[in-house]
């Protein structure tokens, strides 16, 4: 069966119902921020992710770009070349 995406549904996930939902308080300042930082490091524009970070920050009256402690340095992958990062992700070989 194909789920009809062009019709309202009362099945499945309803999504966040408050700005304090984890999608806003965890996924944006952690996950989206890391994707943004990866884009900056490797020269890949992330306009949609950036807009999500800006909107969630506006709802919480803060800048997740500045206030999130999660970044590539926190993960230990700052200043890795693209090749080194791929080697780490695919093979588990960590070069610093």
């Amino acid at each position: 069966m194909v789920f009809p995406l062009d019709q309202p549904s009362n099945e499945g996930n309803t999504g966040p119902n408050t700005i304090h939902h984890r999608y806003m308080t965890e996924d944006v300042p952690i996950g989206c921020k890391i994707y943004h930082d990866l884009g900056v490091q490797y020269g890949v524009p992330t306009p949609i992710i950036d807009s999500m970070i800006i909107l969630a920050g506006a709802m919480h009256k803060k800048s997740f770009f500045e206030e999130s402690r999660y970044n590539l340095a926190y993960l230990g992958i700052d200043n890795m070349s693209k090749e080194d990062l791929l080697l780490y992700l695919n093979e588990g070989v960590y070069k610093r």
Side-chain angles (χ1 to χ4, degrees), residues 20-47:
H20 303 291
H21 191 278
R22 73 170 185 82
Y23 289 176
M24 300 291 178
T25 61
E26 296 173 22
D27 293 0
V28 171
I30 300 170
C32 291
K33 174 67 170 48
I34 294 296
Y35 285 128
H36 163 80
D37 291 347
L38 285 167
V40 169
Q41 181 157 311
Y42 299 110
V44 177
T46 56

Side-chain angles (χ1 to χ4, degrees), residues 10-93:
N10 60 1
E11 295 181 27
N13 225 342
T14 59
N17 56 6
T18 172
I19 65 167
H20 303 291
H21 191 278
R22 73 170 185 82
Y23 289 176
M24 300 291 178
T25 61
E26 296 173 22
D27 293 0
V28 171
I30 300 170
C32 291
K33 174 67 170 48
I34 294 296
Y35 285 128
H36 163 80
D37 291 347
L38 285 167
V40 169
Q41 181 157 311
Y42 299 110
V44 177
T46 56
I48 295 172
I49 291 222
D50 294 352
S51 67
M52 292 168 59
I53 296 169
I54 291 166
L55 288 171
M59 287 184 244
H60 285 269
K61 298 180 181 171
K62 59 175 69 177
S63 172
F64 288 127
F65 290 109
E66 296 171 11
E67 294 186 27
S68 176
R69 68 180 177 155
Y70 301 99
N71 55 37
L72 301 184
Y74 178 87
L75 297 176
I77 60 173
D78 58 319
N79 300 317
M80 273 190 175
S81 69
K82 180 178 126 182
E83 293 73 26
D84 286 346
L85 180 60
L86 289 172
L87 183 65
Y88 177 49
L89 293 173
N90 291 318
E91 310 277 333
V93 177

